[in-house]
Amino acid sequence: MDKTNLLASQILQGVGGEGNISKLENCMTRVRVEVHDDARLDLTRLKTLEGIKGYLKQGDQHQFIVGPGAAAKVVDAMRTLLRTTDAPVQNDIARNKASAKVKYSAPMSGALRKLADVFIPLIPAFIASGLIMGIINLLKRPDIAGSIATDFPNILGLLAIFGGAVFAIMNILVGVNAARVFGGSQAMGGVMAGILSSPALAQITLFGETLQPGRGGVIAVLLVVALMCWLEKRLRNLLPESVELILNPLITTLITATLAIVILQPIGGFISDGIAHGVNIAIDKGGLLVGAVLAGAFLPLVLSGLHQGLVPIHVELIQAHGSNPLLPILAMAGVGQVGAAMAVYMKTRNARLKKVIKGALPVGILGIGEPLIFGVTLPLGRPFIGACLGGAVGGALICYWKVATVITFGISGLPLALTIISGKVMLYLAGLVITVLAGFIFTWLMGFNDPEE
């Protein structure tokens, strides 16, 4: 049995077998399991399995961090096993102490996670778009690509279309995903977003003002689709079954679209403008202090789940200004983890901890910090603080240097350098190196209690 199938089998046994699983899925780095009875979980054993780099609980969901790429393979293997045999059920297992997510979870984290679920499926598109835009930036530089930009303008034009496609249909994608998350018709969610984005709005004047296509961006879309889903579900209960299929979409569209144009889109525009201008003013005027606070506080936000509320802000910044100065600042939080983990690796005598760090460092450098956070720094305590302080140093410098990226989110760490705006790439790399050193120094000076074998 290979490592993937072995780990899948062990996780199935640890969560209480097929009969105890109510939902099984994965994200980029985690196996996500919801169970019927938490008392049947053997969390003590699960956390020590070879291949499990960390564990957290968010709401009813148990999340096992196995790393990028591995998560999808393990879940596929678990589903295969579920189709062929039942994993043994482990009974009489006492419920373990609350995980880090439960301990630090904020009251609004559940709602914000739901909001983030709207955008998570778009991550691959954001990554592709950002990397393509980074390639275009490189090709436009004569010192790197010579005369390629002038010799082959059509190629750059096509690449620009490829890279910008996700933003051309951004509101539609958000509308469809929002309807799925809020429990409505996905097609209707796309229709609502299409109405808000229609170029024909510019030919209509209401209350003495010409309407603006796309005003309010994704904020307006979220508000409108939330209303649409609420109304659609109410009408489903009120209308007779014989006419519900016909009348529900019609009434929902007419009422929601009217309220969207008259009320919700202007409100969304006000909120969207406030977010975009507010963030840019804070970063422009706040300099070192704002950058340090943002990057230093980001990891605690991750633990509380409140960081998910930043996702629409990233999108709004790109839609409003074409660049995102917030993401490079927050990226320094994960980079500080790398420096802290290096210090732990050099100080610890625990062979298992060294092995975890060796496996987690490469992906940490590539911007996936969860294995380092939940497998190394957070359990040790002080290294987590050292990483936050190191991230604060880097965030201060990135903010002061006004580094920005052309993507919303989805990439961090070293790969983010490919998406940094022209003229700021070397400053971003300098900030990255300084952050690693700062995280290392803070952690080395603060020390930690070396766990016993």
Side-chain angles (χ1 to χ4, degrees):
M1 184 179 292
D2 63 25
K3 291 183 178 180
T4 299
N5 287 320
L6 176 60
L7 181 59
S9 176
Q10 291 172 332
I11 293 176
L12 279 175
Q13 294 176 17
V15 300
E18 178 181 8
N20 197 35
I21 295 177
S22 63
K23 190 174 182 181
L24 174 64
E25 59 188 10
N26 67 275
C27 62
M28 292 178 65
T29 60
R30 309 178 196 177
V31 174
R32 299 170 178 249
V33 183
E34 293 182 21
V35 298
H36 299 294
D37 184 4
D38 281 0
R40 292 167 62 180
L41 267 70
D42 188 354
L43 288 179
T44 302
R45 178 172 174 269
L46 284 166
K47 291 177 183 179
T48 61
L49 291 178
E50 185 76 20
I52 299 293
K53 298 179 174 64
Y55 163 81
L56 56 101
K57 186 180 179 185
Q58 196 169 57
D60 295 328
Q61 195 174 71
H62 299 270
Q63 302 179 2
F64 302 94
I65 302 169
V66 297
K73 293 179 182 178
V74 171
V75 168
D76 286 344
M78 290 175 68
R79 287 173 175 154
T80 300
L81 290 171
L82 290 174
R83 286 194 294 267
T84 57
T85 183
D86 289 340
V89 177
Q90 302 295 318
N91 295 315
D92 302 321
I93 303 298
R95 185 173 300 186
N96 205 354
K97 292 182 179 179
S99 66
K101 282 286 184 184
V102 173
K103 182 176 180 181
Y104 299 106
S105 180
M108 288 293 293
S109 61
L112 293 176
R113 184 185 68 166
K114 204 170 185 180
L115 182 63
D117 286 344
V118 174
F119 296 92
I120 287 174
L122 304 181
I123 287 178
F126 289 141
I127 291 175
S129 174
L131 292 177
I132 291 172
M133 298 304 289
I135 292 171
I136 292 173
N137 287 339
L138 292 177
L139 293 178
K140 285 182 177 179
R141 292 183 54 177
D143 57 327
I144 294 177
S147 60
I148 287 181
T150 54
D151 293 343
F152 304 98
N154 290 335
I155 292 178
L156 263 68
L158 286 174
L159 287 175
I161 293 173
F162 300 161
V166 66
F167 300 106
I169 59 171
M170 171 74 74
N171 288 350
I172 305 294
L173 295 174
V174 170
V176 171
N177 284 337
R180 172 182 58 81
V181 171
F182 298 152
S185 167
Q186 295 183 45
M188 291 288 289
V191 168
M192 291 300 113
I195 291 171
L196 296 178
S197 305
S198 173
L201 289 176
Q203 303 172 16
I204 299 174
T205 301
L206 284 181
F207 310 114
E209 285 192 24
T210 302
L211 300 182
Q212 300 176 30
R215 183 184 181 189
V218 296
I219 301 296
V221 172
L222 291 171
L223 293 174
V224 172
V225 174
L227 172 64
M228 181 218 79
C229 293
W230 177 86
L231 180 60
E232 184 182 33
K233 286 185 276 190
R234 294 301 178 278
L235 290 174
R236 192 173 295 143
N237 294 327
L238 294 174
L239 293 171
E241 289 185 3
S242 57
V243 295
E244 189 271 334
L245 181 63
I246 299 172
L247 292 183
N248 194 337
L250 174 63
I251 297 173
T252 298
T253 300
L254 291 175
I255 294 177
T256 306
T258 301
L259 293 176
I261 298 300
V262 176
I263 300 174
L264 295 181
Q265 190 172 35
I267 292 175
F270 178 77
I271 297 173
S272 174
D273 292 344
I275 289 173
H277 293 312
V279 170
N280 277 311
I281 290 173
I283 292 174
D284 286 341
K285 305 297 183 183
L288 294 169
L289 179 60
V290 168
V293 171
L294 287 172
F298 184 64
L299 291 180
L301 283 180
V302 171
L303 294 182
S304 69
L306 295 177
H307 71 294
Q308 294 167 125
L310 297 173
V311 173
I313 296 177
H314 291 302
V315 177
E316 282 298 325
L317 289 172
I318 289 290
Q319 286 190 323
H321 303 289
S323 63
N324 180 0
L326 182 59
L327 183 58
I329 295 172
L330 301 181
M332 294 301 105
V335 177
Q337 290 288 326
V338 173
M342 288 178 175
V344 173
Y345 183 83
M346 294 185 65
K347 271 198 166 188
T348 185
R349 296 182 179 180
N350 186 301
R352 185 179 185 277
L353 184 56
K354 281 182 176 286
K355 187 174 182 181
V356 170
I357 296 172
K358 284 176 67 176
L361 265 180
V363 294
I365 294 171
L366 295 177
I368 301 172
E370 288 176 334
L372 290 177
I373 296 172
F374 296 105
V376 182
T377 62
L378 185 61
L380 294 176
R382 288 195 294 272
F384 181 78
I385 298 174
C388 291
L389 293 174
V393 172
L397 293 174
I398 294 296
C399 186
Y400 179 76
W401 290 331
K402 294 187 170 44
V403 177
T405 177
V406 296
I407 67 167
T408 50
F409 64 101
I411 301 178
S412 188
L414 187 59
L416 188 61
L418 295 174
T419 70
I420 298 299
I421 60 176
S422 181
K424 300 289 185 178
V425 177
M426 295 309 297
L427 290 175
Y428 175 79
L429 293 175
L432 190 146
V433 172
I434 293 171
T435 303
V436 171
L437 292 174
F440 181 96
I441 293 171
F442 280 120
T443 303
W444 187 273
L445 294 176
M446 296 174 69
F448 57 93
N449 295 323
D450 200 15
E452 296 181 0
E453 290 284 358

